[in-house]
Amino acid sequence: TRIGKPEILLYFDGFSGPGVYWKDEKRNSTCPGSPIIVAEIANKFIESKLSREFIIITVDKRKESVEMLSTELANVNKYDQPWKAHFAEFDEAVNSLFDQIENKSLYIPPMFIFIDPFGYAGFPLRTLKRILKYKRTELFINFMIYDIVRFCDSKEHEHRMYDLFGCWDFKKAREYTSPEKKQLYLKNLYCEQLKESAKARFVMPFRINTPEQGTRPRYYLIHASQNIKALKEMKDSMAKVSDSPYQFEAIGLSSDQFSLFEDPGKISLKERINTFCKDAYPQALEYTEIENWSYVYTNGVKRTIKDAIVNLEQDERVEIIRKPGQKKTTVTKGATIVHLN
């Protein structure tokens, strides 16, 4: 938001689908797709302040889906907002949008770009790099790991894989005979490429578990952004719905040289934070430093991070130096934490 300008948000939905789906094979009832869910949220955002603007752009390469979604969006557009469903390829449409923004020097609002493909093609890493050039853009990518594992060894699909990863390192997945290790290698490679090649500052993969199959991933949802606040908001939101049958689990990207295939759950959040504080000794760390680090590199969120630090204090492994008036039962911004060697 800029002073003198209306508050504007932009949601871009790639591979958007028709906007409504059957709940099950019986086809007795329907459920909304992502564009309609966002449209309903947009209405609430606008009704609390009518000067706000919420742009929704959707793209799909199936004409029937676009026509159906256009009707659905029109039906829920209570405040005559600029909502448009386009018959186009994602890559072509998003590059066209940024061409217009750059050629006309248009104001760039905060953008949330959701990429939910039917497979793994059509959103090359070079395009994601262009999107992430802008500080207030977020990417949320459905990384369809089963399809990627299935086709990564195929000569026929090599160039599509190269577009996806932005490098040829995906071929190294062939060295792994275990499907689980192949999946982990490719997920880690993609996250590394988002950081190294696409220049995302923060990348957080969420493993979506297959119901009744433990931690076997159904797919990954990967969030990439340039702002720690965006990461925190996404992680907090995912934590709120993690009790669903799919269990949205934040995997985190380790800052230490753990084995590529080590389960982050083996090392508790408490021990990870203890090591972080110990490595900083004798320097005292302000609470926010620990919170930010934990959001980026562990599965922790604010509540669990605070609990872990207070628990370390009870174990006499750290000292919490609180500001006057801060509660002794918790830890918050302004407090400093010193590791007790």
Side-chain angles (χ1 to χ4, degrees):
T1 305
R2 300 193 300 180
I3 296 173
K5 292 282 184 180
E7 295 176 36
I8 303 173
L9 296 174
L10 189 150
Y11 172 74
F12 192 109
D13 195 316
F15 313 90
S16 56
V20 63
Y21 301 91
W22 295 112
K23 278 189 175 179
D24 52 42
E25 292 180 3
K26 294 179 181 178
R27 300 195 169 195
N28 293 326
S29 58
T30 60
C31 60
S34 52
I36 303 304
I37 293 170
V38 170
E40 296 287 5
I41 293 169
N43 283 334
K44 291 177 182 177
F45 174 74
I46 295 160
E47 71 185 13
S48 61
K49 190 174 182 182
L50 295 178
S51 62
R52 288 171 169 170
E53 186 175 341
F54 199 119
I55 302 165
I56 296 178
I57 300 172
T58 74
V59 296
D60 200 287
K61 63 181 181 180
R62 295 167 302 178
K63 199 166 187 179
E64 319 82 68
S65 291
V66 174
E67 290 171 355
M68 189 170 178
L69 179 56
S70 293
T71 302
E72 295 292 329
L73 284 172
N75 288 339
V76 295
N77 195 350
K78 291 169 60 176
Y79 299 101
D80 195 27
Q81 292 292 299
W83 298 351
K84 179 71 175 174
H86 295 271
F87 174 48
E89 297 279 357
F90 169 80
D91 192 38
E92 175 190 340
V94 79
N95 277 294
S96 176
L97 171 66
F98 280 94
D99 285 344
Q100 290 182 56
I101 287 171
E102 292 167 6
N103 292 339
K104 297 179 181 179
S105 300
L106 300 176
Y107 168 63
I108 304 170
M111 296 186 191
F112 189 94
I113 299 178
F114 182 37
I115 301 174
D116 187 15
F118 300 95
Y120 64 89
F123 53 104
L125 197 78
R126 61 180 176 272
T127 295
L128 306 191
K129 180 178 181 179
R130 184 180 189 186
I131 293 167
L132 287 165
K133 279 197 311 184
Y134 300 95
K135 291 180 180 179
R136 297 189 298 173
T137 55
E138 295 176 61
L139 287 172
F140 202 38
I141 305 160
N142 186 346
F143 191 66
M144 302 293 287
I145 191 65
Y146 281 159
D147 287 340
I148 294 165
V149 168
R150 181 182 171 194
F151 294 112
C152 71
D153 294 344
S154 167
K155 274 276 187 186
E156 184 184 346
H157 296 85
E158 274 190 351
H159 288 283
R160 289 182 184 177
M161 287 291 168
Y162 177 83
D163 283 346
L164 176 67
F165 288 98
C167 67
W168 295 105
D169 287 358
F170 67 87
K171 291 184 177 184
K172 294 178 184 176
R174 298 169 186 172
E175 298 171 11
Y176 302 104
T177 54
S178 160
E180 290 77 17
K181 288 192 174 184
K182 192 172 285 194
Q183 287 178 8
L184 283 167
Y185 172 77
L186 292 168
K187 182 269 296 181
N188 286 349
L189 174 63
Y190 191 69
C191 290
E192 288 167 10
Q193 284 295 94
L194 282 170
K195 292 197 79 169
E196 298 301 320
S197 296
K199 306 300 181 185
R201 285 190 65 200
F202 304 103
V203 175
M204 178 58 62
F206 298 90
R207 182 180 63 217
I208 313 307
N209 296 332
T210 305
E212 300 178 3
Q213 294 191 39
T215 57
R216 183 183 180 191
R218 186 181 183 90
Y219 51 89
Y220 290 93
L221 289 171
I222 300 175
H223 182 256
S225 67
Q226 305 294 18
N227 193 304
I228 186 70
K229 185 178 179 181
L231 167 64
K232 287 182 173 183
E233 291 290 340
M234 176 55 70
K235 205 170 174 187
D236 288 347
S237 297
M238 295 294 277
K240 288 176 185 175
V241 295
S242 66
D243 290 334
S244 72
Y246 294 99
Q247 291 190 331
F248 300 82
E249 291 192 22
I251 303 301
L253 298 179
S254 173
S255 63
D256 303 310
Q257 294 301 311
F258 294 128
S259 162
L260 183 63
F261 304 114
E262 184 162 7
D263 180 358
K266 286 182 182 176
I267 300 172
S268 73
L269 176 62
K270 177 177 160 182
E271 294 307 321
R272 296 287 303 279
I273 291 175
N274 181 62
T275 300
F276 181 62
C277 295
K278 185 177 181 181
D279 289 345
Y281 181 84
Q283 178 188 345
L285 295 170
E286 199 273 325
Y287 166 72
T288 305
E289 291 181 72
I290 300 174
E291 181 182 287
N292 288 349
W293 176 87
S294 299
Y295 264 91
V296 175
Y297 293 112
T298 77
N299 60 5
V301 291
K302 190 170 290 188
R303 174 182 54 80
T304 57
I305 293 164
K306 290 185 174 187
D307 286 349
I309 295 172
V310 170
N311 202 257
L312 286 169
E313 179 186 44
Q314 292 167 350
D315 291 349
E316 298 184 348
R317 289 197 274 176
V318 303
E319 178 186 3
I320 302 174
I321 304 169
R322 297 174 174 86
K323 284 187 169 183
Q326 290 185 337
K327 293 181 179 179
K328 299 290 184 183
T329 54
T330 188
V331 57
T332 190
K333 183 178 179 180
T336 54
I337 291 87
V338 182
H339 194 268
L340 301 175
N341 265 11

